[in-house]
Amino acid sequence: MSYTFQFGEVLRYWPLLVQGAINTLVFSVIAMVAGLAIGVVGASCRISSSRVLRAIAGAYVEVVRNTPLLVQLFLFYFGLPALGLRLSTSQAAILALTFNTGAYSTEIVRAGIESIHRSQIEASTSLGISRLQTFLHVVLPQGLERVYPALASQFVLMMLASSVVSAIGAEELTAYGNRIQSENFRAMEVFFVCAAVYLGLTYLMRVLLAAVAYVAFPRRRALGSV
């Protein structure tokens, strides 16, 4: 069987591919920032002295980690309208990605927080620093620094997993790829190009995350381990 590749039939749609790549990055960055914020709050609840907060955070983590992202996406897009809350495809996509990322970030951040030796907390207390200040200025920065590589890897995986939002018609790279191949019927070439774009986005995301680490963690920068 012979097959003639015709990538020109795909590359002439380059404006759609560029827009899809931009949308993928936008979805991913929003979900990354919001998911990290949820992760910090969730990790705080997971180590809280309150049994109620620990139970709520634990249930959230277990539900998200043991259900498919696609099902979570469908719940936001098809389920919420039944409760009177109708979302656009982009809104549902961002919420689902954030909801999912938040649970994984919760466990990663919790591991970082728990890795901080108790002596540092005791030293802060002896200096008259409040528990909140100790958490925000001593424990959390060091905890995030220690688990940053794991967080960065999780964010990259989330960006790649964002392709599932095309199932509800959210306009990201895979959705545009589907649209292109439905017009030119060159599925092989279309998804080869999409794969190449995802590789480029992955590299770009890693560079951006490394830049964030360079700015946020001076000690890692000094040690050359960003």
Side-chain angles (χ1 to χ4, degrees), residues 121-186:
I121 300 174
E122 294 172 350
S124 298
T125 302
S126 67
L127 292 173
I129 301 174
S130 69
R131 293 182 62 182
L132 179 59
Q133 290 176 321
T134 298
F135 178 76
L136 293 177
H137 300 294
V138 178
V139 176
L140 184 60
Q142 292 185 76
L144 289 177
E145 181 178 351
R146 292 186 180 187
V147 298
Y148 188 79
L151 281 171
S153 295
Q154 182 59 44
F155 293 151
V156 171
L157 289 174
M158 179 270 297
M159 185 195 70
L160 296 177
S162 69
S163 61
V164 304
V165 305
S166 62
I168 61 171
E171 295 182 331
E172 51 75 62
L173 181 58
T174 301
Y176 279 119
N178 279 324
R179 182 189 301 183
I180 294 169
Q181 68 90 21
S182 69
E183 293 181 9
N184 63 14
F185 305 105
R186 309 299 299 187

Side-chain angles (χ1 to χ4, degrees), residues 35-50 53-62 65 101-117 121 135 139-148 150-151 154-155:
L36 179 58
I38 292 174
V40 171
V41 174
S44 302
C45 292
R46 290 280 276 165
I47 64 174
S48 170
S49 58
S50 169
L53 290 178
R54 292 201 306 271
I56 292 173
Y60 164 57
V61 170
E62 290 303 311
R65 295 202 306 177
T101 303
Y104 287 94
S105 297
T106 292
E107 287 301 277
I108 294 173
V109 173
R110 180 175 69 88
I113 291 173
E114 291 182 338
S115 72
I116 304 304
H117 199 275
I121 300 174
F135 178 76
V139 176
L140 184 60
Q142 292 185 76
L144 289 177
E145 181 178 351
R146 292 186 180 187
V147 298
Y148 188 79
L151 281 171
Q154 182 59 44
F155 293 151

Side-chain angles (χ1 to χ4, degrees), residues 13 46 64 68 74 89 120-121 126 129 132-133 143 177 188 206:
Y13 290 93
R46 290 280 276 165
V64 171
F74 285 167
T89 54
Q120 296 199 40
I121 300 174
S126 67
I129 301 174
L132 179 59
Q133 290 176 321
M188 181 76 76
R206 291 187 181 278

